Amino acid sequence: MKHPQCDQIVLVSADLEARRVRLTLRAALLGVVLSAFFSWFDFWVTGYLFHALAEGLFCVLLSWLAWGLYCGRGQRILPLLGVVLAGVLLAALSITGEAGDGVLIWAALLPPLAFFVLGLWLGLAVSLGFSAVLMSMLWLRIALDLGFGLNWLAMVNGGGALLASTVISMLYEHSRAHTAQRLAHAANTDPLTGVANRRGFLAGFECRMTLAQRSRTPVSLLLFDLDRLKQLNDELGHAAGDAAIRHVVRVIQGLVRRQDLLARLGGDEFALLLPGTDLEGAATLAHKLRETLARAPLEMAGCTRALTLSIGLAQAEPGETDYDRLASVADRCLYRAKEGGRNCVVDRC
């Protein structure tokens, strides 16, 4: 089966998520400073003792969560706890009514915070849940006439601000996530063929080798060149060369498995990583690739051109995760395949 954790987009997205964690830590530190300030302000200036106590408790808890993030623990659960704690604090301050309806202004900060820290769908769920609980509790207080200075007009304004903040934050996060995915794809994909480029291949190589090491399964590497591509470019133009490269990729993609990693390393040089395949199995596949391509000539502009491959093979040593050594062996075999007249497979050097 395919390993989604080894996809190039996922790997780059993981880098973006790591950056989000760092930004979340900075936001948490800002929250600690603000809650400490308002705790002091409400205790010594306004006299809102409940607010001062709630903000002080939030400052302590948020400091503990920030320390956990800094130490690299709970990178998924701790940000969620932080946002939930912020929601509880804002709801408590709003529902008590001690500071009047002006405190509803702060409630509108929860949706952008939730989307920023938690992403699109979890941020949306937390924002909607917070808005539903807060507005229900406030309407209940008005209905019971508990008399803390909040009226229906303030509720409409507060609810509208919450809704607008949620929608704007959701649209922004959706756009940001889509852009990040497109950038990740562009950074790891060869634009001519749509397969992985060198950067994407190296990222996928590292992940697949780690998985193979854990499962103690063999891994083989194929390095291959499209024979006489320069001659094809000189005779028919670079458009024909590009068409030949795309044709090779289409043929190979029809023969490999989903968990195999195909990449164009540059020019006419390709790599194919075969998890769970020993050298004998890789040689069988290599001959099949070469023979299938030879039977599927390139046709363009009324011209038919047979294409061939020179292929070098190497199998990773048990526990090996070093690309350079494995590629060096496969590259020597590829060089011998070219020296031997091309259109052949060399699996031992």
Side-chain angles (χ1 to χ4, degrees):
M1 62 178 292
K2 191 175 183 179
H3 302 293
Q5 65 268 41
C6 290
D7 287 352
Q8 291 77 35
I9 293 178
V10 174
L11 290 166
V12 176
S13 297
D15 294 337
L16 295 175
E17 286 303 312
R19 184 173 183 270
R20 182 194 287 268
V21 170
R22 293 193 295 270
L23 293 174
T24 299
L25 178 59
R26 296 173 185 174
L29 295 177
L30 177 61
V32 168
V33 173
L34 289 176
S35 56
F37 169 77
F38 280 108
S39 179
W40 168 86
F41 184 81
D42 284 330
F43 184 83
W44 292 105
V45 179
T46 65
Y48 299 147
L49 299 183
F50 174 79
H51 286 194
L53 178 62
E55 290 155 350
L57 180 61
F58 177 73
C59 179
V60 172
L61 293 175
L62 192 59
S63 299
W64 174 72
L65 294 177
W67 176 252
L69 274 179
Y70 178 77
C71 295
R73 298 192 298 267
Q75 294 186 355
R76 289 190 176 274
I77 189 63
L78 292 184
L80 175 60
L81 288 177
V83 174
V84 170
L85 284 175
V88 170
L89 173 67
L90 291 172
L93 298 182
S94 301
I95 292 170
T96 59
E98 191 174 23
D101 58 8
V103 76
L104 282 177
I105 296 174
W106 292 97
L109 290 178
L110 196 281
L113 176 65
F115 281 103
F116 172 75
V117 173
L118 304 177
L120 181 60
W121 297 112
L122 188 55
L124 179 62
V126 171
S127 297
L128 293 178
F130 168 77
S131 300
V133 170
L134 176 62
M135 300 309 292
S136 298
M137 295 293 293
L138 291 178
W139 279 114
L140 180 62
R141 291 211 60 166
I142 291 178
L144 295 177
D145 195 22
L146 297 181
F148 64 108
L150 191 66
N151 55 40
W152 68 269
L153 184 58
M155 288 290 294
V156 169
N157 287 328
L162 270 175
L163 178 62
S165 179
T166 300
V167 171
I168 293 172
S169 301
M170 179 182 67
L171 293 176
Y172 172 79
E173 178 61 23
H174 179 271
S175 174
R176 187 208 63 80
H178 180 66
T179 301
Q181 187 178 37
R182 289 179 60 188
L183 289 174
H185 184 270
N188 291 277
T189 304
D190 173 49
L192 179 62
T193 61
V195 299
N197 59 16
R198 181 178 292 274
R199 185 180 189 275
F201 181 79
L202 292 177
F205 176 89
E206 181 179 354
C207 184
R208 282 168 173 79
M209 294 300 289
T210 300
L211 292 175
Q213 185 177 8
R214 292 174 184 171
S215 59
R216 298 182 180 179
T217 55
V219 178
S220 296
L221 174 67
L222 277 66
L223 291 182
F224 52 95
D225 283 356
L226 176 58
D227 294 332
R228 297 183 175 89
L229 178 62
K230 184 178 184 303
Q231 181 180 342
L232 179 64
N233 285 331
D234 292 341
E235 292 179 7
L236 301 178
H238 287 279
D242 291 345
I245 289 173
R246 289 193 294 266
H247 179 71
V248 169
V249 168
R250 283 195 298 269
V251 171
I252 293 175
Q253 285 178 324
L255 298 173
V256 299
R257 305 163 299 177
R258 294 185 64 194
Q259 66 264 35
D260 299 334
L261 179 59
L262 174 64
R264 181 188 177 208
L265 302 183
D268 61 346
E269 182 182 358
F270 297 86
L272 178 61
L273 190 68
L274 303 173
T277 305
D278 59 14
L279 193 62
E280 182 179 354
T284 301
L285 176 62
H287 285 291
K288 185 176 181 180
L289 294 178
R290 183 184 59 80
E291 293 166 0
T292 302
L293 182 64
R295 293 194 302 265
L298 173 66
E299 297 181 2
M300 59 173 297
C303 176
T304 301
R305 189 67 172 258
L307 301 175
T308 60
L309 296 175
S310 299
I311 306 176
L313 310 182
Q315 180 179 340
E317 300 292 341
E320 181 180 20
T321 58
D322 181 23
Y323 170 77
D324 291 335
R325 191 214 67 87
L326 187 62
S328 176
V329 175
D331 194 54
R332 287 200 302 271
C333 292
L334 173 59
Y335 182 75
R336 289 193 179 181
K338 292 180 180 179
E339 280 192 328
R342 296 184 174 88
N343 191 24
C344 62
V345 176
V346 175
D347 57 4
R348 282 177 174 81
C349 302

